[in-house]
Amino acid sequence: MTPMLEAAETTRTPRRTAPPTWLVVALTCAGQFLVVLDVSVVNVALPSMRAGLGLSEQGLQWVVNAYAIAFAGFMLLGGRAGDLYGRKRMFLVGLGLFTLASAAGGLAQDDWHLLVARAVQGLGAAVLAPSTLTILTASVPEGAARARAIGTWTAVGAGGGAAGGLVGGLLVETLSWRWVLLINVPVGAVVLCAAAWFLTEGRAGDGRRLDLPGALLVTAGLGTLAYGISQTEAAGWTASATLLPLLAGAALLGAFLAVEARTASPLMPLGLLRVRSVSSANVSMFLCGSAMFCMWFFMTLYAQNVLGYTPIEAGLALVPSSLAVILGSKLAPRLMRPVGPRNVAALGTLVAVAGFAWQSTMTPHGSYATAILFPGILMMLGAGLAATPLASLATSGAAPEEAGLVSGLVNTSRTMGGSLGLAVLSTLAASESAGAGTPQALTAGYALAFRVGAGVLAAGAVLMWVWLPRQAPRAP
């Protein structure tokens, strides 16, 4: 009798065999590609979005910032949710939310519809992105195979950023700006169905709770602060329309720090910031992100609004810069061994300073080689050189069980810096152009943004030289 019951039970609940490694790598890389692609693909479509929905200058920056702020604010929470509730489950939830929001954004009939959809996209990306790497590392045995898989994952992420401008330009010119978002729907649906069928569940929960209050406070604080900064162009620094959101944003961020200091399972353990390598690398990444994140935004607007490039021409024009990021990322590990990570990070930042300074000399009638190609290559080559040693220094100073958290913190610092940097530099550019839409006025605004970006990066290079440890410290 017992054998029969056991046989029946086995028949009812057959075990699913583990999927092939190549399929796991393909699915996780596809998810990562979508997340990274959507950071850059909308830049080429911004002028068309503005014409289609009547977006203001502030609205344009929020098409980018709504995604980036939600992504940064909820990324650490998304990683913790995967540990507690299952990596596959969070992969599916994040990808489903991302796909639905892409459809909503592509069908938007008003500017606020698009901005809300972009924020929800960012939330979905924050849930999806951490699960892609944890599923991959849990499914591939440690050693050379895992190193190759992570290398593929990294390359696909870099490729997503590199392909964004070109893909966006093709879609805008051959279809419409809406397809920059709608293209995610069929791709997301295919990946979602394949992941639901083939991926197996896994988790590493330790009984800790999700720090939802922390995630909400930091996201609301960043968004409110960025909104206050953007109000300065129209209302000035002393107007209540500016001061109130600035004070509210600062208060929300202060409340976030208070919550993190008291909660048993903080989203960002403040004790980690006492480690010199962690704190210095994250501050450096914040400063680098505040300038480098904005490069694509202003370069795309300059190419289309001033030089008269079509969307596909603008996308093609930025391909060499995109490839320069990959080149810098590949060169950095080779230079770190003989030169040291601190020196490579500072060197990369100084290369980017040269590119930003060159770009700030732009004119309304600049040639492609001197106004886009070479300064763009310098900016992004420097970005690639700096990012790898900063991430290495940050994670090397943490205990092994905190490496994933610190890695997520580095990405969060970079994206948060980019969000606030875009708000500041867009406001400065708009103030300089004084609302005029002539090529001369727009060029003056964009040039000011690059000059300020060069100054921020120069300060970052000095900070790296003084504060970063010479070599990666050993984890305790």
Side-chain angles (χ1 to χ4, degrees), residues 290-381:
S290 67
M292 293 176 181
F293 184 83
C294 307
M295 176 266 191
W296 307 110
F297 181 85
F298 290 111
M299 291 286 275
T300 300
L301 294 180
Y302 172 64
Q304 294 187 63
N305 292 342
V306 176
L307 299 183
Y309 286 21
T310 64
I312 191 170
E313 287 172 344
L316 287 170
L318 294 175
V319 167
S321 305
S322 304
L323 297 176
V325 178
I326 302 175
L327 176 61
S329 300
K330 293 291 186 183
L331 284 176
R334 299 184 180 185
L335 293 175
M336 284 166 59
R337 287 189 288 271
V339 179
R342 183 190 70 171
N343 294 336
V344 175
L347 172 65
T349 305
L350 289 175
V351 170
V353 169
F356 271 77
W358 187 347
Q359 191 63 55
S360 70
T361 64
M362 62 175 69
T363 67
H365 306 290
S367 67
Y368 170 65
T370 58
I372 292 180
L373 178 62
F374 293 122
I377 288 175
L378 284 176
M379 284 186 276
M380 290 299 100
L381 179 64

Side-chain angles (χ1 to χ4, degrees), residues 83-84 204-210 265:
D83 289 339
L84 296 180
D206 54 6
R208 291 181 293 181
R209 295 182 177 180
L210 286 177
S265 303

Side-chain angles (χ1 to χ4, degrees), residues 344-445:
V344 175
L347 172 65
T349 305
L350 289 175
V351 170
V353 169
F356 271 77
W358 187 347
Q359 191 63 55
S360 70
T361 64
M362 62 175 69
T363 67
H365 306 290
S367 67
Y368 170 65
T370 58
I372 292 180
L373 178 62
F374 293 122
I377 288 175
L378 284 176
M379 284 186 276
M380 290 299 100
L381 179 64
L385 284 170
T388 300
L390 289 177
S392 174
L393 285 169
T395 54
S396 62
E401 63 272 14
E402 294 174 334
L405 175 63
V406 174
S407 179
L409 186 60
V410 169
N411 288 324
T412 300
S413 297
R414 176 171 50 195
T415 310
M416 285 181 176
S419 302
L420 292 180
L422 180 59
V424 172
L425 295 182
S426 294
T427 301
L428 290 174
S431 299
E432 182 70 13
S433 62
T438 63
Q440 291 77 11
L442 291 174
T443 301

